[in-house]
Amino acid sequence: MPASAQPKTAVPQPSEGATAEGATALRPHAEQAFAGELAALAAQDDRPRPARWRLSPWAVATYLLGGTLPDGTVITPKYVGPRRIVEVAVTTLATDRALLLLGVPGTAKTWVSEHLAAAVSGDSTLLVQGTAGTPEEAIRYGWNYARLLAHGPSRDALVPSPVMRAMAEGMTARVEELTRIPADVQDTLITILSEKTLPIPELGEEVQAVRGFNLIATANDRDRGVNDLSSALRRRFNTVVLPLPESAEAEVDIVTRRVEQLGRSLDLPAAPDGMVEIRRVVTVFRELRDG
């Protein structure tokens, strides 16, 4: 069984409306793989939408949790878990409050983050991947040094970060593994989230976030090598804790669907005794988590 089939609480299913580009990609983005479902939801969605949202909060929640539309279109569940968690996450984004998805590894934080961004903004690629070496420029902005040396500081020499682009375009930015980023770099987000502005002192300018901008971060506090969030930064987020599956049967069902989807994407033959191995792996992971 591949390592990537580790138990998670998300259930990805390919969409019939996936784009040609997404169909050839080894791992298409959510807005590519589920383009058909997103389009069907947009066509049926007559509810009010926040500024620059592609779907209403109701449609975003339906996209994550699954359901059947009035025209008979089946929306596959992207997250299997308490409905209340998805509702709180969507409501947080609709009220311009930044969202922090917190949980141990295997709770589908990244998966939920990606699908929320895809449903809200139609683009899940404005991503900052947090590591111990993530610099401040990854969150704020960098410079094209050839242009900087030739012409000095200017807008043409500035290289916007994904967060800066999201602010200017009213999109949803994502920061993965926030607690792996050094604490001084984490705090770069404080001004962005509280003042909704990003100063550019070299140019004597600033970028003000337009309506529709928001940020989704993921983090866990169980692994080694994590950096605690400052109280000032944590207050800027609404934190939603993603739980592990409630029962072994629920986890087996989730992993079975994930393995089937991975097998189809890699053109692997079906394993006749796969369920036995899945139950064994799920049992091992649950026993390890329980100590």
Side-chain angles (χ1 to χ4, degrees), residues 32-237:
Q32 297 171 332
F34 297 89
E37 293 186 8
L38 290 169
L41 277 165
Q44 297 284 313
D45 186 14
D46 57 357
R47 292 168 172 78
R49 307 179 187 184
R52 291 184 174 81
W53 277 40
R54 298 293 184 92
L55 301 172
S56 69
W58 168 85
V60 173
T62 301
Y63 172 71
L64 266 292
L65 294 167
T68 302
L69 301 183
D71 66 352
T73 301
V74 176
I75 305 300
T76 57
K78 316 304 179 302
Y79 175 75
V80 176
R83 182 181 186 86
R84 182 62 178 165
I85 287 178
V86 173
E87 292 176 342
V88 171
V90 174
T91 302
T92 296
L93 297 176
T95 56
D96 292 330
R97 180 83 170 173
L99 174 65
L100 175 62
L101 300 175
L102 187 67
V104 299
T107 50
K109 301 182 296 297
T110 297
W111 184 256
V112 172
S113 167
E114 179 183 357
H115 281 281
L116 282 171
V120 169
S121 297
D123 187 351
S124 62
T125 64
L126 297 176
L127 170 68
V128 176
Q129 180 60 58
T131 68
T134 299
E136 187 175 307
E137 291 78 7
I139 296 176
R140 299 177 72 242
Y141 53 84
W143 297 97
N144 181 321
Y145 289 104
R147 290 186 177 181
L148 184 65
L149 293 173
H151 306 290
S154 67
R155 276 282 186 169
D156 290 337
L158 187 144
V159 180
S161 70
V163 175
M164 185 176 182
R165 287 179 52 202
M167 294 176 69
E169 300 171 16
M171 304 281 279
T172 302
R174 299 166 54 211
V175 179
E176 291 295 321
E177 301 290 355
L178 179 60
T179 49
R180 293 202 176 278
I181 299 175
D184 57 332
V185 179
Q186 291 177 10
D187 285 345
T188 304
L189 290 170
I190 292 178
T191 301
I192 294 173
L193 297 181
S194 60
E195 305 297 331
K196 306 297 183 182
T197 185
L198 177 57
I200 310 175
E202 296 89 342
L203 303 180
E205 301 177 10
E206 66 179 10
V207 173
Q208 291 183 309
V210 302
R211 293 187 65 186
F213 164 71
N214 216 324
L215 187 139
I216 305 172
T218 66
N220 80 76
D221 53 6
R222 292 279 188 92
D223 285 354
R224 295 180 179 179
V226 298
N227 303 292
D228 291 336
L229 301 181
S230 66
S231 298
L233 180 57
R234 188 177 285 272
R235 287 196 301 270
R236 267 68 180 183
F237 286 100

